[in-house]
Amino acid sequence: MSRFWALLIVVALNDVVASPLQVALQAPAITGTGDNARHDNDPKIPRTPDEIYALNRAVAAKMRQIFSSRGIPVVPSLGPNSITNEFAKFDRLILAVLFIFLTRDDRIWDIFIPFPYLQVFQRGAYYSAEVIPDEVAAISLNTLYFYDSNKAVGGCGFHDRNDPGNLEFDWLEVQLRMYRQRNMQFSFLESIDLEFVDNQDDGPEQQRKTPLYDTLMEEFAALPKKSEEIDYSDYAVVNTAPPVVPNPYLPSFRIFVYNVTGRLGYKANKRKHGHKRGGLADKTARCRLKENRDTWKCFLNGTWNSDPGSPSRSNKQWTPLGYAQYYLPDLEKADKKREPEYKLEYVTFAPSQLHPAGTDDEGSAFRYPIPLKRLPKSLQNSSVTESKFAPYSMADLTIPSWVELAQRLGNEKQEALRAEFRKYMYMGGEEG
């Protein structure tokens, strides 16, 4: 099974399910972030094209059997390990393999691609899909085209407007404009996280030498200490699939819960117009430097679209409320007679959010964010106020809530919280 079929968009849950799969079958859509072929140890056991195609066929067939056959949209994305080995090592081979992969007679992934985007996908392996018609869309990006470490493309070079990455960004701009005009919400899927790094001093080599946990703690500590000093328009949330970091790798997935009721008074108002982004003086100074003159950063002067009234900024309809992360521990003990069992690793909710207020919920409209049967016994008790399974106690997954958690983690005195964060970040292992 693929390493990165990790995110389940779950909008409405109840307390009658008995397994994570049954929970997933209530989802309006299933999203995946690519890397569908084996990629454990290529130097010792190289992958062949036939194996890569077979593994993709197996994953696609399983997604079709379990979800598509039940009318649940599947939104895949392709990563470097979906089609070949690490692209940085294979130069232009990746474009040839990608072309063959997308144009073979069997066209493994075509069944999941909305018809209006089929030609776009076959040309560049990116597309978008309305997972909830006229309400919510998922935009699946091909991030292989964006990085200059992929020698098969130009890495969105400023002087090559026909570079595959630049053409994809042109297409993306049209998609964003269309969804904004329709007042729809949307999210991105990609195999390699899009990182917007504004630090010109630390090169890739320096960044690779610094452990990810240490880098995060340094950046969290640099955040403003007071919320009134923060412009949330300058922040975005990137959720990385949980199997990415740990070593050894443990299969895992997340079940997300969204606000679908709009009970907090949300009405779909027209989005506000974008505004010019700040920091122009700093940008002007940087763009005088020879190494920055011919870069996109110095020529992108369009409006910065940010809406304080969006579901990512405050709790309203389509706001992500939280998630539960499940994983497969003790894989080394599993065999044909003893199947591995998914267990809850943690939830982002506070324990009090998992139960209705008060002691009697009969006749209540309360909807359990996580079915009680899928919680450990300690969290099934409504009187529990603290738990190792609920380390963060986040009110929701809006940008302000994520920034507040980052501020707490940036405080060196929060040793216990930092220890929990590191444990769950590496799932008990080490950085991969």
Side-chain angles (χ1 to χ4, degrees), residues 124-140:
Y126 48 87
Y127 66 100
S128 64
E130 293 188 30
V131 295
I132 301 177
D134 298 320
E135 296 282 354
V136 180
I139 302 175
S140 179

Side-chain angles (χ1 to χ4, degrees), residues 54-88:
L55 288 169
N56 273 271
R57 274 193 294 268
V59 173
K62 186 65 70 174
M63 295 297 111
R64 181 178 181 180
Q65 172 193 349
I66 296 176
F67 299 112
S68 298
S69 64
R70 292 174 167 87
I72 302 173
V74 174
V75 187
S77 64
L78 301 182
N81 290 293
S82 297
I83 58 174
T84 185
N85 312 69
E86 289 295 339
F87 62 77

Side-chain angles (χ1 to χ4, degrees), residues 316-328:
K316 55 195 59 170
Q317 192 172 28
W318 307 128
T319 291
L321 300 176
Y323 67 76
Q325 180 163 309
Y326 293 86
Y327 74 122
L328 279 177

Side-chain angles (χ1 to χ4, degrees), residues 224-232 407:
K225 300 298 183 272
K226 298 179 180 180
S227 58
E228 56 266 24
E229 298 174 354
I230 296 176
D231 181 358
Y232 293 109
Q407 288 172 319

Side-chain angles (χ1 to χ4, degrees), residues 145-161:
Y145 288 163
F146 295 160
Y147 297 91
D148 55 12
S149 54
N150 175 6
K151 303 306 180 184
V153 295
C156 304
F158 177 72
H159 290 292
D160 186 0
R161 302 303 169 92

Side-chain angles (χ1 to χ4, degrees), residues 68-288:
S68 298
S69 64
R70 292 174 167 87
I72 302 173
V74 174
V75 187
S77 64
L78 301 182
N81 290 293
S82 297
I83 58 174
T84 185
N85 312 69
E86 289 295 339
F87 62 77
K89 303 174 185 176
F90 287 84
D91 296 342
R92 296 190 178 276
L93 173 63
I94 194 169
L95 279 191
V97 175
L98 178 59
F99 176 77
I100 296 171
F101 187 85
L102 296 175
T103 57
R104 280 170 57 105
D105 290 340
D106 49 7
R107 290 180 177 173
I108 300 169
W109 295 102
D110 281 11
I111 185 177
F112 304 112
I113 312 303
F115 182 76
Y117 291 97
L118 197 52
Q119 286 187 327
V120 173
F121 176 76
Q122 291 171 352
R123 184 189 67 214
Y126 48 87
Y127 66 100
S128 64
E130 293 188 30
V131 295
I132 301 177
D134 298 320
E135 296 282 354
V136 180
I139 302 175
S140 179
L141 298 175
N142 175 8
T143 49
L144 296 173
Y145 288 163
F146 295 160
Y147 297 91
D148 55 12
S149 54
N150 175 6
K151 303 306 180 184
V153 295
C156 304
F158 177 72
H159 290 292
D160 186 0
R161 302 303 169 92
N162 290 319
D163 176 77
N166 287 333
L167 293 176
E168 184 174 354
F169 273 118
D170 289 342
W171 170 87
L172 176 59
E173 190 172 12
V174 174
Q175 304 307 301
L176 298 181
R177 188 183 305 118
M178 175 184 68
Y179 288 134
R180 290 191 186 104
Q181 289 173 348
R182 296 174 60 190
N183 204 37
M184 291 180 61
Q185 309 302 319
F186 49 84
S187 60
F188 298 112
L189 305 174
E190 66 271 347
S191 178
I192 306 172
D193 291 334
L194 294 175
E195 298 179 9
F196 300 94
V197 181
D198 198 32
N199 190 336
Q200 304 288 330
D201 300 323
D202 295 336
E205 291 299 326
Q206 178 62 36
Q207 292 172 7
R208 277 197 290 269
K209 290 177 182 178
T210 305
L212 180 57
Y213 171 81
D214 295 339
T215 299
L216 289 174
M217 292 305 107
E218 290 176 7
E219 294 188 357
F220 293 162
L223 288 169
K225 300 298 183 272
K226 298 179 180 180
S227 58
E228 56 266 24
E229 298 174 354
I230 296 176
D231 181 358
Y232 293 109
S233 297
D234 292 335
Y235 294 83
V237 175
V238 177
N239 282 299
T240 302
V244 170
V245 175
N247 182 21
Y249 157 68
L250 295 175
S252 57
F253 65 89
R254 291 173 181 158
I255 297 177
F256 281 77
V257 181
Y258 283 70
N259 180 345
V260 296
T261 65
R263 287 179 184 168
L264 299 181
Y266 171 68
K267 292 183 179 179
N269 298 318
K270 270 239 179 222
R271 274 197 171 98
K272 296 182 179 180
H273 293 292
H275 57 83
K276 293 290 184 182
R277 195 172 187 188
L280 291 179
D282 180 59
K283 177 180 175 180
T284 301
R286 285 190 177 185
C287 291
R288 290 196 187 102

